[in-house]
Structures are given as structure tokens and as C-alpha cells.
Amino acid sequence: DTAVSQTPKYLVTQMGNDKSIKCEQNLGHDTMYWYKQDSKKFLKIMFSYNNKELIINETVPNRFSPKSPDKAHLNLHINSLELGDSAVYFCASSYRLDSYGYTFGSGTRLTVV
Amino acid sequence: DQQVKQNSPSLSVQEGRISILNCDYTNSMFDYFLWYKKYPAEGPTFLISISSIKDKNEDGRFTVFLNKSAKHLSLHIVPSQPGDSAVYFCAAGDTGNQFYFGTGTSLTVIP
């Protein structure tokens, strides 16, 4: 079974729409993350959610909001999508904040048209 | 099912020697491969990449080798330095689509 799963794998949507990407981990990890991979393959941290504490990267627009209903889930909600939001978004988890067992999901390719 | 595997969770190397980190993948359609480096309390940073049209890519002390027939890639660091101590992730994918990450290898370079 997939340890960190993201849905959907592909998402094509129009500018201005609101969309969500879901992430679930079955590893019993305490911490989950969202990353954005840019065109040069750099991974930029967007959010860390550790034991109900949210750590936000201040460069992330407030149109992006993480939602964690429980420790196993960290969803990413994006309001008013813009063309520049097109990227691959990766979810990841680890036992504790930046500890061992770091596991990535397979990514969600978001295309805004 | 894990499409990218790093079977060695940890590796210790003496300073000045070569570090070799290995990665195996299962999908023969993968045509682009990356290595990331991650320090504690930081996110992964991109290190080096290779496309399937090459079998070697070199950048300073870092060289990535790709063996397509074996579905295997490796990262060589020579000479290893204490600052190289970090977790290294390999990732593989089909350009323009999904990338799959391995679970990482923790490298410790001993001074």
C-alpha cells in the first residue's frame, strides 16, 4: 500500500477557480509537509504541520491554505487559482519535524489555464 | 508499490574518501532522474540531475551515473567532506509527469 498518497495525480483547471489537493499517510508520522516543485526542479517548502502546529512559509500567498482534519491527512486548498500556480506539488511526512523516515508522495501536477 | 528504492538507509564514509549512494527504480518509462540533499530542519535542495539520454553527469565533486538496463543510478561524491553529511533522496520520473522519491540515505562523513 502506498505510504503517502496524493489525489488527484493530475489537475487541470481554469484561472480563478478554487481547488483542493488531498494527502494521506498511513505511516503513523506526526509531521506532514507540502512542497512546490518549480520548473527547475527545486523543491520549495510551503507548509509543515506538526502535532497540530502549523508552520507557514511566509512567501506562500494566503490563497493557499492547508487543512489537517487529523494527523494522517494534510490537504492543500487553493483559492482563486493563477497561471503561476501551475507546478507539481508534493506532500511528504516524517516521524517528527525534520526527523528520519521522510517519505514523499508521488506528486500532483496542477495546470492552470 | 515503491517505484524508487534506496536500500541503504545510512552510510558512513571517512573524509576525503568517495561516497556512493545508490538508487533503483522499477519503471522503464522513467526518463529523468534527480538527487536532492536535505539537512536537518531544512527542506530538500536540488543537487544534480540526469536525463535518460546520458549515462553520466558531473558537477564539481558530484557525479551521477545512470545504468538504464539495470534501472539503477548512483551518486558519487569525491572527495567527501563533513559538510556533505545529510540525507540524500533520489527521484525518478517521466518528464512532465509524476516524480517518485526514494526514502533517502543518511550520509555521515567522518572527519
Side-chain angles (χ1 to χ4, degrees):
Chain A
D1 286 344
T2 305
V4 179
S5 61
Q6 297 178 228
T7 53
K9 290 187 179 297
Y10 301 96
L11 181 56
V12 181
T13 188
Q14 289 187 321
M15 281 176 57
N17 283 349
D18 302 339
K19 291 292 179 185
S20 292
I21 306 172
K22 295 184 178 180
C23 179
E24 176 182 3
Q25 55 94 3
N26 61 5
L27 297 165
H29 288 173
D30 283 346
T31 309
M32 297 183 73
Y33 313 83
W34 274 107
Y35 288 90
K36 180 180 180 180
Q37 186 187 46
D38 65 16
S39 57
K40 295 183 180 179
K41 310 303 180 188
F42 292 112
L43 283 177
K44 297 179 181 179
I45 183 73
M46 301 178 71
F47 304 101
S48 303
Y49 207 92
N50 177 58
N51 206 19
K52 299 185 181 180
E53 180 187 1
L54 177 63
I55 304 168
I56 300 174
N57 182 332
E58 293 180 358
T59 65
V60 175
N62 58 15
R63 297 181 295 103
F64 291 80
S65 56
K67 297 187 191 306
S68 181
D70 54 57
K71 201 172 73 169
H73 297 82
L74 182 64
N75 304 323
L76 182 64
H77 190 75
I78 316 169
N79 289 327
S80 303
L81 277 154
E82 300 178 357
L83 293 176
D85 297 332
S86 296
V88 180
Y89 293 83
F90 286 96
C91 177
S93 71
S94 62
Y95 282 102
R96 284 177 294 279
L97 186 62
D98 288 310
S99 74
Y100 60 96
Y102 217 93
T103 306
F104 283 88
S106 58
T108 296
R109 175 166 287 280
L110 170 66
T111 304
V112 182
V113 297
Chain B
D1 192 22
Q2 195 83 19
Q3 298 209 39
V4 177
K5 295 181 182 179
Q6 293 177 256
N7 291 320
S8 298
S10 62
L11 175 69
S12 291
V13 171
Q14 208 68 32
E15 181 179 4
R17 307 292 288 268
I18 184 171
S19 295
I20 300 176
L21 297 100
N22 293 305
C23 180
D24 296 293
Y25 60 97
T26 58
N27 191 333
S28 59
M29 298 301 292
F30 289 158
D31 61 3
Y32 198 71
F33 307 88
L34 310 100
W35 283 95
Y36 287 86
K37 177 179 180 180
K38 182 186 178 304
Y39 290 117
E42 296 180 12
T45 56
F46 172 72
L47 190 58
I48 192 169
S49 64
I50 189 168
S51 73
S52 59
I53 62 173
K54 292 185 174 182
D55 54 17
K56 177 183 174 181
N57 188 25
E58 191 172 349
D59 183 2
R61 297 185 297 113
F62 301 90
T63 303
V64 56
F65 294 91
L66 175 63
N67 182 334
K68 291 184 287 292
S69 60
K71 298 192 187 70
H72 177 84
L73 68 154
S74 60
L75 175 68
H76 292 211
I77 307 172
V78 56
S80 301
Q81 299 174 355
D84 296 329
S85 296
V87 178
Y88 291 79
F89 294 93
C90 69
D94 175 3
T95 309
N97 292 294
Q98 245 73 33
F99 277 94
Y100 296 85
F101 282 80
T103 51
T105 295
S106 178
L107 173 67
T108 302
V109 180
I110 304 163

